[in-house]
Amino acid sequence: MPQSESRANSGHAVAAAQNSGESTPLLVDERPSPTGSSEHLLPAPSQTPLTRRSGSQSGRHRQQQQQQDSNTQKLDRKWWLQRARYYVPIVGWLPNYSIGNFAVDVKAGFVVACLLVPQALSYSSLTHLPPEHGLYTALVPTLVYGLLGTSRHLSMGPEALISVLTGTLIKSQLKDFITSDSPNTPSQDSIDRFSATVATAVALVTGLFTFVLGIFRFGFLDSMISESSLRGFISGTAIVVLIGQARIVLGIPTTSDVVHSTPWNDLKYMVSHLGETHAMTAAVSLGALALLRLIHAAKAQFTRARWLQNIPDTLVVVVLATIISWAAKLGEEHDVVIFGKVDGSLPRFRLPHVPTHGDTKDIVSSGITITMIGVVESVIVAREYASRNHYAVSSNRELVALGVSNAVGATFGAYPAFGSLSRSKLNDRAQAKSQMSGIITAILVAISLLGVLPYLYHLPRGVLAAIIVDAVSSLLSATPGTIAFLFHVQAWSDLFLLLFICLCSVAASVETGILLAVIISLTMVIKRSNMPRIKLLGRSTENDNDFYPIDGAPPSLTRRMSRMSFDSTSDTQEETYEGNSPRSRDGSQDSSGDLSTNAQAQHVEGVLIVRIEEPLYFANAGQLHARLNRMEMYGDMRTHPSEAPRMNPTRAVVFDLVGMSAIDGSALEILLNIVHEYNRRNVQVVFVRVCDDLRVRFRQANMDSEGGQYDFSDIGSALAHLEHQLSISTS
C-alpha cells in the first residue's frame, strides 16, 4: 500500500476516534521511518487537540478523585463524630447547650450539693473510712458521670446500700489485718490506709465489671432480680443500718468485738447496754432527727410553697448543729464526740491494688455484688426520670458511664458510687436541664473539700448518724405497701421470699441477704426459661378451620368428647394475616387465643397438634421431649402424671411454629432426635407456618430425610395431607 494512502486511512481512523470521544495509543505512538528518522504517524494539526483533550480528561479525573477523597474524609469525620456523641454524650449536648439553662442547672447543682456533702460525710462512717473519702466519692465519679452519662437527673455519689456493702467488706478484711500484727495493735493511721486500699480496690473491680457488662450489652441484667427479692434485701439492709447507727445516735460506747459482729449480735448488745446511753449525745442527735422529720413533713404539707421545697434541710441541720456545738462547747465540756480535724486537700492519683493482708477473692466477689445492687438501683432511677421528662436513656451506655466513673474514682481514693434516688429526686424537683447540673455539683464538692471542712470541726458525729437514719428510713417506706399488696393478691411465694431474705440479712449478714436474693432470682429465671412455651391445640366445634389451645378451655371442655376422625377434614381456606394473628378469610382465628363462649376444643383423633410459642434454644429445648410425651399420654398438661393414660395411640404430630422465629444448634439437634424417634415409631411429623430462617436451618440439617415435612402453610392443609397419607398406608 502506498505510504500516502496508509496515512490517509490512519487519518480517517483518528478522525473517527475524535468524533466518538475515545483515545487510542496511536495518538502518542511514534515509529521510525524507513530512512531512520523519527516520523509521526499522524499530522501535527490532528495530534495537538487530541492530546489537549486527553489532558483535560485526566484533569477532570483528578478532580473527581479529589472530590471523592474529600467526601470520604467528610464521611469519616461524620462517622467518628456520631460515635463520639454516642459514647461521650457531652460531645453531643455541650455544643448545643443553651446558655439560658445554665442558671437553672447551677441552682439544681447547688441544691444537690447541699444534700450530697453532708451525706458523703455521713456515709463514710458506714464504710469505716475517714470522712474525706466520702467526699472523694462524691467528687470524681460525679464529675466523670457528667461527661459520660445519658441521664440528666441521675445524681452519682455515695449511697447508703453501697456504703454498707463496702463497709461490710472492709470489716471482714480488717479482722485479718489486725490479727496479723498480734499481739501488737496497728495504729489508726495504718488501719485507715488499709481500709482505703481495700475500698479503692473494690471500686476498681466494680468499675471494670460494670464497664464490661455495658460493652457486651448486658443492660437487661437490671431486671434479673425479682422485685420481692430486691425489696427484701433493701428492707433487711435498712434495718441493719438503723441498728448500727442507733448506737451512735444514743452515744452507747462500743468495742472492737461489737464493731465486727453480726447485725443480730449488734442489736443484742445495744439493747443490753441501753443504760449506758450518753444523754447529751442522744439529745443533740434525736433533736437533729426530729428537725429533719419536721422539715420533711412541712414540705409534704405545703407542696406549692416553692421557697420551702428548695430549703436544703440536711445542710440546715448540719449548720445549726455545728453552731450549737461550738457555742455550747459540747465536745470539751459535755464529752460529745465531734467531727474533728479532717484533711481538706484534693485527692491524688494512685493506682488501686489489693493490700498485703487483703483477700482478692472476697474483694472480687464483693465488687460483683455491689455492681448488681448499684446497677439495678441506678438504671431504674435513670429510666424513671427519663420517662418523666420525655427523653431516652440507654441501659448499656449507662453501664459504661457507671463503670468508667467508678474505675476513675478508684484511682483518686473513692469507694464504689452509684445513683441515688433521693438526690435524683431533688435534682428533678430543681428542674435540672442537663448533665451540667451534675458537673456543677462536683465543682461545689471540690470547693467544700478545700474550704468547708475546717468549719465542721465542732459538728457532733451523732448528727451525721441521725442524717443516715433519716435517709435509710425512706428505704423502708415502701415495704409495708409491698407486703400488703402481695398479701392481697395472694402471692405467697413472693411474700415468703421477701420476708425470708429480709430476716437473713438481719440475722446473718448483708452479704447473705444479697447472695440469697441473686441466687433465688436466677434460679427462678432459669426454671421458667427451662420450660418451653408450647400448647396442645384442638379443633373448634364451630369451625373446622379454627384451632384453639386445649388448656384454654374450661376443664369440662378439655375431655375427649366425640373426637373427630380424618374423614371430617374439610378443604382448608387460605390465611390472611392481621398484625401477628393469622386469620382465615371468613374472619375466624386459626391456632390462637381463647375459645369463644359456645365453642368446644376437641382433640383430632390420632393427631397431636402442638404450637410452639417461642424460639427454641439449649435451655428450653431440653424439656420438649418430656412434655410431648405427657401430651401424648394425657392430652392436657393440667392432668396429674399419676393418673392413667387417656389418649389413643398417636399416628401423626403437627408442629405449628407460628411463634418460633429462631432455633440454635443444640435445640435443632434435640428437635431432629424427636422427629427421628417419631419416624422410628411410624408417626408422621409435619411442620406448619415455618418462617424463612427456620426453613434454611431445617434444610441444612436435612430435616426431611429424618421424616419431618415443613412445606405446609396452615394446620388445615397439613391435616388434609395426613388424611391422604394415612388412608393410603392403611388401604
Side-chain angles (χ1 to χ4, degrees), residues 28 47 253 268 295 338 369 403 578 620 628 665 669 680 693:
V28 293
Q47 181 184 14
K268 291 192 297 183
I295 297 176
I338 58 177
T369 301
E578 298 179 7
N620 64 356
L628 289 173
E669 185 176 5
R680 190 183 64 82
D693 291 341

Side-chain angles (χ1 to χ4, degrees), residues 353 368 420 644:
H353 64 280
I368 295 175
S420 167

Side-chain angles (χ1 to χ4, degrees), residues 63 107 121 164 199 325 367 436 473 529 629 641 646 673 707:
Q63 291 178 356
K107 184 190 97 171
L121 296 174
V164 172
S325 175
M436 181 64 73
S473 299
S529 64
N629 287 339
R646 60 184 64 177
N673 291 334

Side-chain angles (χ1 to χ4, degrees), residues 251 278-281 328-338 460:
H278 191 271
M280 185 58 69
T281 299
K329 297 182 179 180
L330 297 180
E332 295 84 351
E333 298 182 0
H334 300 279
D335 296 328
V336 174
V337 180
I338 58 177

